[in-house]
Amino acid sequence: MCGIFCEISIKSQQFQQHVCPESIHKSLSRRGPDVSGSCAFEINIDSRPVYLSFAGYVLHLRGNLTKQPIVSSSGDVLLWNGEIFGGKLTVDEFANDTEVLMKKLLTCSNSDEIVDILSSVNGPRAYIYYQDKSKLLWYGRDCFGRRSLLSCIKQDSFVLSSVGSRNLEMEFEEVPAKNIYCLHLSDIHEKPFLDAIQMYPLSLLPHKIDNTFDNEFPKYEETSCKCCLCENETFFDQLKAVDKVNASSSIKYCSIELLQSQFYEILLKSVRTRVNNLPRENFNESCDKKVSGFKKPCVGILFSGGIDSVVLASLADLCVPKYEPIDLINVAFQQHSSTFKLGSKKHQTTNKTVHFDVPDRISGRLALKELPTDRVWNFIEVDVTLDELKEERKNKIADLVYPLDSVLDDSIGCALWFAARGIGKLYSVSCNNSFSLIEEYYESPVKVLLCGMGADEQLGGYSRHRSKYESSGWDGLAAEMHMELDRISSRNLGRDDRCISDHGREVRFPFLDENVVSYLSKLPTCVKCDPRLPRGFGEKILLRELAGSLGLRYCSSLPKRAIQFGSKIAKIEGSKEKGAERCDRLK
């Protein structure tokens, strides 16, 4: 993972120390703490100068430690903030994907070839590529926007950066994750920068997808959800009752066991891809001991105790070496309990005591007891006080949430920032299921965090999905869920990447793996959720069935609880604001 920055200007630039403003440099340095580099040069187009500057800040995760930007002998420049997890490009186990991509781009002789390469990669990415011979600057994000990239267009300059700052005289916007963008430098003296940008539409899914199960499960039509289900019969009730093809029906049935198996296999592969090939110390497995802290963890999970995070933990247990602990990070914000002193009603006084027993803390502790006992699970309780929240929001978080500015952005951004920091009390579970405090102060060393985002959008996890079904039926629900996934880049993931990566950790989203998305998109809505069932049962029904098969009984019946409510950050400042309102605290 990296922090990347680029500026194109038609006016000469004078840089004192860094090619980017100091406040942005500090944020980018935290994203990429292992090595950084920069370059700045001038080119001439029709005897008129154009000034280019690039900076890269690297968090080392794969292959050789590679300084960015990469500059070729031909003058091409690449900044790559991403991971190649598949697609048309193959990256060997111990190779560096930035080097592999640069080598491939250098073979391109025209724009179509560049577009083909950049659009056919599976994995999260934000990138900037300058091709010297064509005087073209390419940039963009993956179709889900899993990596942040902001842009700022001024009269005489064009800036791209992983992060921005609200106090600069620069108005940043998130680069939409709908296109691959190409800035024609030969036009910027004659046209406004915006008019010199050419866009190439980016499909929701890249070219090469794992279609292993295409011939194993039937092609359902959304209308089947409406016509084949009785009023009091769920799709899974029907699957359990039918074990062969009904020759008189146009609908082909498959077993619930098959659906669970397919979803399990493809989600497990997604998790394995995201926890493999990390820098790990050599270790003799015969020396395995179940002692917390015996082996340095490499993987952490943002762990609320909800179904998404618990399923990811269960699957990660199958992929991460058993001798290696896994950090489960659980965040809670300061709450107050009122206690009344004895005395007459008129003179009764109230004491307020501070606690952190929020819903996510309680569910996290209970869910941990259902995870396999032959693994060291580092349960990290991150407790955030009101004073600390205010201080860190002012100093860092507001700049990371920017350019978003709603109350919801504030709540989620702050919760994710503190969770990803990974500093708290370290607990483990003993053989009799009791909690033991191991360390009063623990700071997670992991560089990779797994996060369950994307599950609600694809599996009907939000309460608004139930409302949409009630008002518009199955067709309306299907359209709503498609819209949720389509807008996830602008509403969620750029902000989340900026806040989490500020601690030098890379967030990875197994539910948004291209192959997982492709698989779920082929299933009818009624397989993924059934809004006619009560809360805690009808949402994400396919995932609940999978959790049950993994022995995760507690989380498989929990209703959806958003992070701002589960961590209680939405209540800590006593505000009655609505989520969509502009947040004055972010100014």
Side-chain angles (χ1 to χ4, degrees), residues 132-408:
D132 186 64
K133 65 182 178 183
S134 63
K135 301 298 186 285
L136 297 177
L137 184 83
W138 298 85
Y139 64 97
R141 306 161 68 193
D142 67 86
C143 59
F144 304 122
R146 288 166 287 186
R147 293 293 173 263
S148 171
L149 189 63
L150 308 179
S151 66
C152 172
I153 299 178
K154 301 174 71 174
Q155 184 175 356
D156 53 14
S157 66
F158 175 72
V159 176
L160 293 166
S161 179
S162 298
V163 297
S165 177
R166 67 197 191 286
N167 295 322
L168 294 174
E169 293 182 0
M170 304 170 73
E171 293 187 8
F172 282 97
E173 296 180 349
E174 289 192 335
V175 173
K178 305 296 182 187
N179 304 286
I180 295 172
Y181 300 88
C182 179
L183 175 64
H184 292 252
L185 301 188
S186 58
D187 293 339
I188 61 177
H189 279 285
E190 305 294 338
K191 303 177 181 178
F193 278 95
L194 191 61
D195 293 340
I197 297 172
Q198 184 176 1
M199 293 180 287
Y200 296 82
L202 188 63
S203 61
L204 190 60
L205 292 171
H207 303 167
K208 189 174 180 181
I209 294 293
D210 184 352
N211 295 315
T212 303
F213 301 118
D214 271 12
N215 297 320
E216 295 185 26
F217 66 84
K219 304 298 187 292
Y220 297 95
E221 298 294 332
E222 289 293 346
T223 53
S224 69
C225 297
K226 295 183 290 186
C227 67
C228 72
L229 298 181
C230 300
E231 184 62 29
N232 296 316
E233 183 182 31
T234 72
F235 188 83
F236 282 91
D237 288 336
Q238 197 178 72
L239 286 180
K240 291 173 183 176
V242 179
D243 59 1
K244 61 183 180 179
V245 175
N246 185 342
S248 64
S249 172
S250 62
I251 302 168
K252 183 180 178 181
Y253 297 100
C254 59
S255 71
I256 186 173
E257 289 79 12
L258 178 59
L259 285 174
Q260 285 180 359
S261 175
Q262 290 175 346
F263 188 38
Y264 167 81
E265 287 184 36
I266 203 162
L267 188 57
L268 178 65
K269 182 179 179 181
S270 172
V271 171
R272 180 177 291 115
T273 299
R274 283 156 177 78
V275 301
N276 282 354
N277 299 335
L278 298 178
R280 287 185 165 94
E281 302 169 2
N282 293 327
F283 185 80
N284 184 354
E285 292 193 40
S286 64
C287 297
D288 188 8
K289 297 180 182 178
K290 189 179 177 184
V291 179
S292 183
F294 177 76
K295 170 71 176 171
K296 179 181 177 180
C298 294
V299 175
I301 299 172
L302 299 184
F303 191 80
S304 67
I307 188 170
D308 309 338
S309 62
V310 182
V311 167
L312 292 183
S314 182
L315 297 180
D317 176 63
L318 302 174
C319 304
V320 174
K322 279 292 184 183
Y323 57 77
E324 185 178 294
I326 295 177
D327 282 356
L328 304 177
I329 305 175
N330 182 281
V331 65
F333 289 82
Q334 170 185 319
Q335 303 297 304
H336 291 96
S337 294
S338 298
T339 58
F340 295 93
K341 290 185 176 180
L342 295 176
S344 65
K345 187 173 182 180
K346 183 177 180 180
H347 297 96
Q348 195 175 58
T349 58
T350 303
N351 282 344
K352 289 188 175 181
T353 58
V354 174
H355 71 90
F356 296 91
D357 291 329
V358 302
D360 279 359
R361 178 62 48 79
I362 296 169
S363 61
R365 289 170 178 166
L366 292 172
L368 176 58
K369 295 179 180 181
E370 290 191 330
L371 294 176
T373 57
D374 58 347
R375 158 86 59 190
V376 174
W377 300 99
N378 290 334
F379 189 74
I380 307 165
E381 296 191 352
V382 178
D383 297 336
V384 186
T385 65
L386 178 57
D387 290 342
E388 189 177 19
L389 170 62
K390 290 180 177 179
E391 180 181 0
E392 297 295 356
R393 177 197 283 129
K394 178 182 177 181
N395 293 338
K396 295 177 183 176
I397 301 174
D399 279 339
L400 300 170
V401 171
Y402 174 81
L404 304 185
D405 61 1
S406 73
V407 171
L408 184 64

